[in-house]
Amino acid sequence: MATPAKTPAGADPKQLERTGSVREIGSQAVWSLSSCKPGFGVDQLRDDNLETYWQSDGSQPHLVNIQFRRKTTVKMLCIYADYKSDESYTPSKISVRVGNNFHNLQEIRQLEMVEPSGWIHIPLCDLVKGPIRTFMIQIAVLANHQNGRDTHMRQIKVYTPVDDTSVGKFPRCTTVDFMMYWTMR
Amino acid sequence: MCLCVFALNSFGILPLEPSPGDPTYLQNYGHSGSGMEPPPAAGPPKKSVARINQVGTKSVFTQSGNSREVIPMPFNPTQTTAPQTSTTPQVLSPTIAAPPNVQPRRSSRLFTSASSTAKENSKKLKMKFPTKIPNRKTKTKTGKGGMTPSNLNESIELLKLDSSISEGKGSLGSSQLQAFTLQKAAADGLMSLMRDIGRGYVALCSYNCKEAINILSQLPTHHYNTGWVLNQIGRAHFELAEYTQAERIFSEVRRIESYRVEGMEIYSTTLWHLQKDVALSALSKDLTDMDKNSPEPWCVAGNCFSLQREHDIAIKFFTRAIQVDPGFAYAYTLLGHELVLTEELEKALGCFRNAIRLNKRHYNAWYGLGMIYYKQEKFNLAEIHFKKALSINPQSSVLLCHIGVVQHALKKSDHALETLNKAIGIDPKNPLCKFHRASILFASEKYKAALQELEELKQIVPKESLVYFLIGKVYKKLGQTHLALMNFSWAMDLDPKGANNQIKEAIDKRYLPDDEEPVTPEDYPYYSTDMEESQESSMTDADDTQLHTAESDEVL
């Protein structure tokens, strides 16, 4: 097969948040890593800063575990990966697993990235039921570019769909005239 | 004797003459008035009230002048000529052709600008006997200007004067009585102003908002154009859900009294409803710069971030507002709303309950509780709480709308329709009531009525995608698939992002077997969905190729 096309970068997830259709819920979860180099851990992964990153320090697969207090609807994940800055540390094969706990995980997505250069959006939609509902998500880095051993991950965001049905089971309205009367404050 | 005559001009009750001859009306008690000039013989003409008003833009209740001590000054002739400046304390009606030697009353400062009368009093004769009635009543009714002990002393002195008058002592005579009548008239004027304002306020507090606006609009202009009155009017419009007018009035308040923080939280919520983020962030910056120690600026900041959908930051600001003033119920309500938006329903319940603990008549908090129970599908509880909110604020069409929807969820569709009819009766401009009525009619299978409702709604709000979405669903039920699809496509055009899933699903259901007509999919390539949908199996391969728009873009 010819050289595979580079994975295109998705849009900045902040813009998604501003549409009001999704909400970032990483702060409601407990994050843990399979390994990390001191000073390059969970805080750097979740600090909204694309300059800092998590660097793993063990054997593959490298894992990021996200555990919620309660079963949460997750619509998508966004991972920031940049081949130009991370070279061989850039993940190339990522597997997403969900379940109730560590013993109950099931892979639902596997994705290959070729020289990514920005945000990668991973929608986690069940076939019939829409966004998945889960207690735990595990992101496994199975392989890196150029067969690197350790990986860098700069930022990960978890999004849930906003349930905006304040009254009635209707989708969001679009005009201010409607929105004004939708709710009271 | 000294009698103080003060201006009723500001009440529009009696015209005043800011005449240079006023000092001639002043006279020290006991002096024979040797030094006094006779008042202008013709009787002071009714001069316009403009001279007071031009500086008297402060409200009646800025009683800064009243805090000054009464300094009884000996009568001297110079005083009669000195204060030729404008806004001398005014004499009452010209019918009192020449009340000789009457001093200006301290409370004249109530009705003229505090600054000018303060100057006046330093130059002019000091009042010895300010009116007892207005001062006292002013003290109890408004409490805003802050009456001081000096006023009390004056009141007591006046009491003595009054009693002396009634005893008809000394050389009092008709001038004394006239002055007393003036006092009384002035007091009446003040009383009627207070009464009007009070009536307006009562109407507002019982959420009889249209009445409140009427009453308050009838106040004289220079009382109307004050921060407090305009604030109440703005709030009345807000409670009526007339957000554009409310915004206009509040911006006027900001222009007149840019230092005012009270009531700004309602202004910020108005801007939040109107989604005017620039104005809201400017307001937030101004207020937080100005005053970090009152809860209102923090509430404004919280609203600003909430509009930007940064709910965590908004929560932080509302918590700060609560820290600054734990008795400010509205901050709890706003915090509750933010917590609902971040799906922390238990904490939100706690916040709303706190708000109710602080103020039982805070109907917003009752509404918030109802919303949470509605989200948790506890419809009975939701209805109870909404009804409680409605009992406090009976003219809110939004509340009635919510009650209608809840009743429909409880399967009491007839009640629901009645409630919605009432809501539309109260506020015909509320498009949501019609929308919900149409949706209930649709659910009760009264398609024609629903369609009619929706057509009317289309005229009112032509750009709302939900309207077309519902019309499409109605047509689909009626079997008119072309019209249905047309409306769905319009709905999608108007809102490609948010309503995407539901509209797409609605369109996809077209391909399920219950539809009679076989629809050729290539007619509708536009409606291809992303690959996660299961219904795609019923679509042809031709459509599949169009699905691979980068998924990452799909959600945008």
Side-chain angles (χ1 to χ4, degrees):
Chain A
M1 128 171 117
T3 41
K6 296 195 186 163
T7 317
D12 189 358
K14 273 283 186 197
Q15 300 198 353
L16 282 186
E17 281 179 51
R18 286 210 195 96
T19 64
S21 52
V22 289
R23 204 165 44 88
E24 216 269 322
I25 47 160
S27 51
Q28 288 179 13
V30 174
W31 293 71
S32 56
L33 305 166
S34 60
S35 60
C36 77
K37 188 171 143 185
F40 295 86
V42 178
D43 293 332
Q44 284 68 34
L45 187 59
R46 291 286 305 157
D47 59 359
D48 259 339
N49 185 353
L50 298 176
E51 308 296 323
T52 59
Y53 51 82
W54 161 52
Q55 176 165 331
S56 64
D57 194 23
S59 60
Q60 290 181 349
H62 306 296
L63 307 169
V64 180
N65 305 306
I66 308 170
Q67 292 171 283
F68 296 100
R69 286 185 269 138
R70 48 176 185 245
K71 206 163 195 184
T72 322
T73 316
V74 178
K75 186 171 176 188
M76 71 183 193
L77 292 174
C78 288
I79 299 181
Y80 188 84
D82 188 13
Y83 181 72
K84 291 193 194 53
S85 32
D86 292 325
E87 300 269 328
S88 66
Y89 287 93
T90 318
S92 68
K93 201 177 327 174
I94 290 186
S95 155
V96 180
R97 304 138 178 199
V98 299
N100 294 336
N101 49 49
F102 282 100
H103 310 292
N104 201 0
L105 294 172
Q106 217 182 1
E107 179 181 288
I108 58 164
R109 281 297 300 255
Q110 200 180 86
L111 108 119
E112 299 242 4
M113 305 195 292
V114 181
E115 299 189 16
S117 55
W119 288 100
I120 310 293
H121 297 234
I122 309 175
L124 297 178
C125 284
D126 203 357
L127 287 178
V128 231
K129 301 179 208 138
I132 53 152
R133 286 178 52 78
T134 177
F135 277 101
M136 178 169 172
I137 301 179
Q138 187 181 72
I139 303 174
V141 178
L142 303 174
N144 291 319
H145 281 79
Q146 302 167 11
N147 279 326
R149 180 167 164 265
D150 285 324
T151 183
H152 281 177
M153 245 196 234
R154 297 199 166 243
Q155 198 69 353
I156 300 184
K157 288 192 183 288
V158 186
Y159 285 104
T160 186
V162 165
D163 173 30
D164 205 33
T165 57
S166 71
V167 203
K169 304 265 180 280
F170 292 107
R172 305 169 52 88
C173 42
T174 49
T175 53
V176 181
D177 300 326
F178 247 55
M179 276 301 260
M180 282 200 311
Y181 296 99
W182 196 256
T183 175
M184 267 180 4
R185 226 170 135 82
Chain B
M1 65 111 165
C2 315
L3 279 181
C4 304
V5 182
F6 57 93
L8 274 188
N9 173 23
S10 43
F11 302 142
I13 293 186
L14 294 172
L16 300 175
E17 307 78 59
S19 67
D22 281 347
T24 65
Y25 293 118
L26 316 175
Q27 183 189 21
N28 246 348
Y29 189 95
H31 286 269
S32 57
S34 54
M36 299 297 287
E37 302 160 44
K46 297 182 195 194
K47 303 240 175 90
S48 74
V49 302
R51 289 176 68 193
I52 289 183
N53 292 345
Q54 78 205 14
V55 282
T57 51
K58 290 213 189 109
S59 86
V60 141
F61 308 111
T62 58
Q63 298 179 355
S64 49
N66 273 331
S67 53
R68 295 163 70 97
E69 280 296 324
V70 178
I71 305 168
M73 276 167 57
F75 171 77
N76 63 48
T78 61
Q79 289 173 341
T80 64
T81 52
Q84 305 299 331
T85 57
S86 65
T87 70
T88 60
Q90 305 306 323
V91 181
L92 286 180
S93 89
T95 58
I96 306 169
N101 311 324
V102 180
Q103 275 189 334
R105 202 164 286 175
R106 156 82 52 97
S107 54
S108 60
R109 276 177 273 179
L110 286 176
F111 315 112
T112 62
S113 87
S115 53
S116 60
T117 50
K119 283 185 245 146
E120 287 309 307
N121 276 324
S122 59
K123 295 180 219 160
K124 291 177 62 74
L125 306 165
K126 290 302 171 193
M127 309 184 300
K128 282 192 186 170
F129 302 104
T131 46
K132 94 180 141 160
I133 307 159
N135 276 349
R136 244 196 253 143
K137 294 273 169 80
T138 320
K139 213 184 308 194
T140 52
K141 283 244 166 136
T142 65
K144 280 184 176 42
M147 304 296 289
T148 65
S150 61
N151 291 332
L152 198 49
N153 291 335
E154 294 150 19
S155 312
I156 296 175
E157 288 175 329
L158 190 58
L159 255 176
K160 294 189 209 137
L161 174 64
D162 280 349
S163 54
S164 68
I165 289 174
S166 51
E167 289 167 29
K169 271 203 278 212
S171 59
L172 300 180
S174 67
S175 62
Q176 199 61 318
L177 278 170
Q178 278 166 351
F180 182 57
T181 326
L182 289 180
Q183 272 184 47
K184 205 159 173 315
D188 287 338
L190 178 56
M191 286 296 86
S192 62
L193 173 69
M194 303 306 287
R195 189 184 55 224
D196 288 335
I197 292 183
R199 264 178 37 223
Y201 191 63
V202 161
L204 181 60
C205 288
S206 25
Y207 296 102
N208 196 354
C209 299
K210 295 205 166 88
E211 186 66 31
I213 296 176
N214 278 340
I215 297 177
L216 289 171
S217 308
Q218 282 165 10
L219 288 176
T221 331
H222 56 279
H223 287 302
Y224 180 82
N225 283 329
T226 55
W228 190 87
V229 173
L230 282 177
N231 197 7
Q232 304 308 316
I233 296 183
R235 218 186 115 204
H237 280 298
F238 171 80
E239 304 289 354
L240 284 170
E242 292 169 358
Y243 298 119
T244 23
Q245 277 136 302
E247 194 239 340
R248 224 170 351 118
I249 296 200
F250 277 119
S251 52
E252 184 67 16
V253 173
R254 286 284 296 157
R255 195 185 60 81
I256 296 179
E257 284 186 21
S258 55
Y259 51 84
R260 191 187 171 89
V261 270
E262 286 172 9
M264 289 297 113
E265 73 279 6
I266 306 277
Y267 183 27
S268 75
T269 310
T270 315
L271 291 173
W272 185 94
H273 277 284
L274 292 169
Q275 303 196 6
K276 294 200 169 174
D277 35 14
V278 178
L280 186 48
S281 59
L283 179 70
S284 155
K285 174 115 187 23
D286 285 340
L287 286 178
T288 43
D289 283 343
M290 189 164 66
D291 180 6
K292 289 189 168 53
N293 285 326
S294 33
E296 290 90 351
W298 296 117
C299 287
V300 176
N303 266 332
C304 178
F305 279 95
S306 167
L307 187 58
Q308 303 298 322
R309 305 192 199 278
E310 309 237 3
H311 298 296
D312 298 318
I313 304 182
I315 288 176
K316 233 192 304 190
F317 279 126
F318 289 132
T319 339
R320 202 175 289 184
I322 293 173
Q323 274 177 336
V324 160
D325 179 4
F328 191 58
Y330 195 48
Y332 282 103
T333 309
L334 290 173
L335 180 59
H337 282 297
E338 288 304 305
L339 288 169
V340 166
L341 287 170
T342 43
E343 305 279 326
E344 308 246 16
L345 297 181
E346 295 304 321
K347 288 194 198 164
L349 277 175
C351 283
F352 287 128
R353 289 191 181 125
N354 266 320
I356 292 176
R357 169 182 62 89
L358 290 168
N359 177 3
K360 285 208 184 58
R361 281 184 62 80
H362 197 61
Y363 75 97
N364 295 340
W366 289 107
Y367 164 81
L369 285 175
M371 278 307 304
I372 294 181
Y373 289 125
Y374 180 84
K375 269 189 189 273
Q376 295 174 332
E377 311 219 338
K378 298 179 184 163
F379 295 123
N380 270 318
L381 280 173
E383 193 187 358
I384 292 174
H385 285 90
F386 283 144
K387 286 208 162 138
K388 176 92 180 113
L390 192 71
S391 68
I392 299 174
N393 180 359
Q395 47 83 52
S396 164
S397 58
V398 179
L399 271 176
L400 282 169
C401 205
H402 280 71
I403 293 181
V405 173
V406 168
Q407 283 171 333
H408 177 63
L410 284 169
K411 314 274 183 237
K412 296 193 280 186
S413 301
D414 301 325
H415 289 269
L417 282 171
E418 266 176 46
T419 320
L420 284 171
N421 289 337
K422 211 167 29 149
I424 297 178
I426 291 181
D427 184 6
K429 282 183 295 181
N430 185 345
L432 227 66
C433 301
K434 295 175 85 70
F435 180 75
H436 284 299
R437 187 161 74 176
S439 78
I440 293 180
L441 289 169
F442 168 67
S444 341
E445 306 195 354
K446 302 191 184 130
Y447 300 124
K448 297 276 188 278
L451 269 178
Q452 193 191 6
E453 197 73 43
L454 287 166
E455 290 298 322
E456 286 170 28
L457 202 51
K458 235 181 9 177
Q459 303 304 319
I460 301 177
V461 207
K463 292 229 165 114
E464 177 54 56
S465 82
L466 278 186
V467 175
Y468 295 102
F469 176 61
L470 194 56
I471 296 180
K473 281 171 74 163
V474 174
Y475 277 130
K476 197 184 90 174
K477 279 282 178 163
L478 286 175
Q480 296 178 19
T481 53
H482 274 99
L483 285 170
L485 281 164
M486 195 168 70
N487 280 291
F488 284 138
S489 77
W490 281 337
M492 275 184 72
D493 280 339
L494 285 170
D495 179 28
K497 312 168 202 170
N500 217 357
N501 293 332
Q502 292 212 12
I503 299 183
K504 280 191 307 193
E505 284 164 30
I507 296 171
D508 283 336
K509 288 197 187 108
R510 299 261 318 103
Y511 297 97
L512 292 178
D514 33 317
D515 289 327
E516 303 86 9
E517 304 175 8
V519 184
T520 50
E522 65 254 18
D523 290 343
Y524 308 107
Y526 182 53
Y527 307 124
S528 40
T529 61
D530 65 14
M531 26 191 182
E532 319 298 333
E533 308 279 336
S534 64
Q535 289 92 337
E536 74 177 55
S537 56
S538 56
M539 292 162 64
T540 65
D541 295 327
D543 290 328
D544 283 346
T545 54
Q546 297 171 20
L547 299 178
H548 297 277
T549 56
E551 280 185 312
S552 49
D553 297 337
E554 180 65 28
V555 295
L556 295 176

